[in-house]
């Protein structure tokens, strides 16, 4: 009886406490903006601040297939909404790089208000003077010419790194995917950093299959492969590259098609498939 009375008092106390806690966390987020309320269109070092719409933030992170194993870096992070969403909804570790110190403070306050201090870091920095190459996902909402300035660095990042840009492209490097939420007026682009694969490659098999040589030409993620010499007895019908994953559709003299699939690791490509009805494994080295 006494225990029941005690529990019901606790329950009565718990309700206002919950309300107070909720109000406190909501208030904390609001307080962040009371300290400094950004204006859409306010000046920035290389580009003004305009926030990415929340719906597009989610679509960008979904398209990049962000997981808890990712390290997401937002270049010019504004109020921190992209790193915060990456950690809050996808469990990733995230970093925001932002030049404007007031925006940095606001974003750091938002991170604390969301209870994401251990997951999200916001750093005052110039994106053109900061090494972000350890990111597995890069996000940005900059301008075409700024994207172009970043492109050489992005192309040296680990093959498979996903890059998502709100609104702006990267010159003649075609995006791998167009991201268009249903609202019909915002869009973003996704690129997968391709492995650097151009050159002449000699493939040897450990299963008694004939060796062969390929010349691979590359234009970003687009590749063309041709067999060197005529000893291999097959031609490459189609070659595709996505990150470090390579796939070759080959046809023998009779026109039978097979697929070899594998990965690029620097100057080595490992391929697996079936050739002349037998499992085949090839290791290719670039000459
Ligand atoms: C268009 S806003 C995008 C903000 C955020 N990424 C988003 O999508 O909501 C661009 C941001 O980049 C910041 N910025 C401009 N030049 C910068 C630079 N060189 N280094 C770091 N941040 C910069 C601006 O202050 C602004 O907050």
């Amino acid at each position: 009886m006494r225990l029941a009375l005690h529990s019901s008092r606790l329950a009565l106390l718990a309700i206002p406490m919950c309300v107070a806690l909720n109000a406190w966390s909501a208030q904390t987020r609001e307080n962040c903006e009371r300290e400094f309320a950004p204006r859409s269109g306010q000046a920035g070092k290389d580009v003004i601040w305009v926030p990415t719409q929340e719906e597009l933030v989610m679509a960008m992170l979904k398209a990049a297939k962000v997981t808890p194993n990712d390290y997401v870096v937002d270049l010019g992070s504004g109020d921190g909404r992209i790193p915060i969403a990456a950690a809050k909804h996808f469990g990733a570790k995230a970093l925001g790089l932002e030049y404007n110190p007031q925006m940095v403070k606001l974003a750091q306050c938002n991170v604390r208000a969301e209870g994401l201090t251990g997951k999200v870091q916001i750093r005052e920095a110039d994106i053109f003077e900061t090494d972000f190459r350890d990111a597995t996902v890069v996000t940005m909402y900059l301008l075409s010419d700024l994207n172009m300035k970043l492109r050489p660095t992005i192309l040296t990042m680990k093959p498979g790194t996903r890059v998502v840009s709100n609104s702006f492209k990267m010159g003649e490097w075609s995006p791998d995917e167009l991201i268009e939420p249903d609202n019909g007026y915002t869009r973003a682009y996704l690129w997968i950093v391709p492995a650097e694969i151009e050159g002449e490659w000699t493939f040897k098999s450990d299963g008694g299959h004939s060796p062969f040589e390929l010349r691979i030409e590359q234009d970003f993620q687009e590749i063309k492969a041709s067999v060197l010499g005529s000893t291999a007895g097959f031609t490459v019908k189609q070659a595709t590259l996505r990150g470090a994953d390579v796939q070759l559709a080959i046809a023998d003299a009779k026109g039978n098609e097979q697929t070899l699939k594998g990965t690029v690791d620097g100057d080595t490509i490992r391929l697996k498939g079936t050739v002349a009805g037998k499992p085949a494994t090839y290791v290719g080295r670039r000459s």
Side-chain angles (χ1 to χ4, degrees), residues 44-52 74 76-78 81-82 97-100 125-128 141-142:
K45 181 177 177 280
D46 293 296
V47 60
I48 58 172
W49 178 69
V50 176
T52 297
D74 187 32
S77 50
R81 63 184 59 205
I82 294 181
L97 298 174
E98 171 58 51
Y99 192 81
N100 179 333
D126 186 331
I127 54 171
F128 295 106
Y141 184 14
L142 301 167

Side-chain angles (χ1 to χ4, degrees), residues 21 33 62 99 118 157 185 202 207 209 212 214 227 265 270:
L21 274 175
E33 293 235 353
K62 261 189 207 151
Y99 192 81
M157 291 176 77
Y185 61 93
T202 304
H209 295 278
F212 64 92
L214 286 186
V227 182
D265 181 8
R270 288 186 174 79

Side-chain angles (χ1 to χ4, degrees), residues 152-167:
T153 306
I154 288 172
L155 283 166
T156 64
M157 291 176 77
K158 194 168 177 242
T161 302
R162 287 88 82 209
V163 183
V164 193
S165 167
N166 179 353
S167 299

